[in-house]
C-alpha cells in the first residue's frame, strides 16, 4: 500500500513538472518569435529616403507623427540621407532612437 502511494505521488509530481515545463515553454515561444522577427533585417525595413511621415511613424519604435514629419522635412531640406546614423542630425532624434530602429531602416 505504501509503495503504491509513493508511486502515485511520484507520478503526480512528474506529471506536474511536465505540465509546468510545457506551460513555461509556451509562454516563452512568443517572445522568441518576436525576437526573430525584429532581428530579421530583410523583412519589414522602411526606406528613410522614400517613406512618408505616416509610414515612418507606423514602422519606427518611439517615433510619432511629429518626429516622422521632422525626418521628412529634414530630408526635403538637405537631400536624401547617405547613412542611417545621419538621422541623429534631425532635431528630436537621438542616438537611442536610431539604435532602437536600425534593423527596421534602410536608405
Amino acid at each position: 500500500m505504501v509503495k503504491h502511494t509513493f508511486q502515485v505521488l511520484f507520478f503526480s509530481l512528474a506529471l506536474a513538472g511536465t505540465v509546468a515545463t510545457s506551460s513555461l515553454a509556451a509562454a516563452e515561444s512568443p517572445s522568441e518569435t518576436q525576437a526573430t522577427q525584429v532581428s530579421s533585417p530583410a523583412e519589414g525595413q522602411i526606406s528613410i529616403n522614400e517613406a512618408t511621415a505616416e509610414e515612418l511613424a507606423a514602422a519606427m519604435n518611439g517615433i510619432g507623427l511629429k518626429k516622422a514629419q521632422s525626418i521628412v522635412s529634414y530630408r526635403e531640406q538637405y537631400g536624401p540621407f547617405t547613412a542611417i546614423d545621419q538621422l541623429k542630425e534631425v532635431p528630436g532624434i537621438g542616438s537611442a532612437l536610431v539604435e532602437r530602429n536600425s534593423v527596421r531602416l534602410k536608405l
Side-chain angles (χ1 to χ4, degrees), residues 61-100:
N61 186 2
I63 301 289
L65 189 55
K66 188 172 182 176
K67 284 185 184 178
Q69 288 171 336
S70 294
I71 293 170
V72 172
S73 295
Y74 185 92
R75 180 179 73 205
E76 289 171 350
Q77 183 175 359
Y78 297 103
F81 293 97
T82 57
I84 301 295
D85 281 347
Q86 198 176 8
L87 280 173
K88 296 175 191 175
E89 298 173 13
V90 177
I93 308 293
S95 297
L97 277 174
V98 174
E99 287 177 30
R100 186 181 330 156

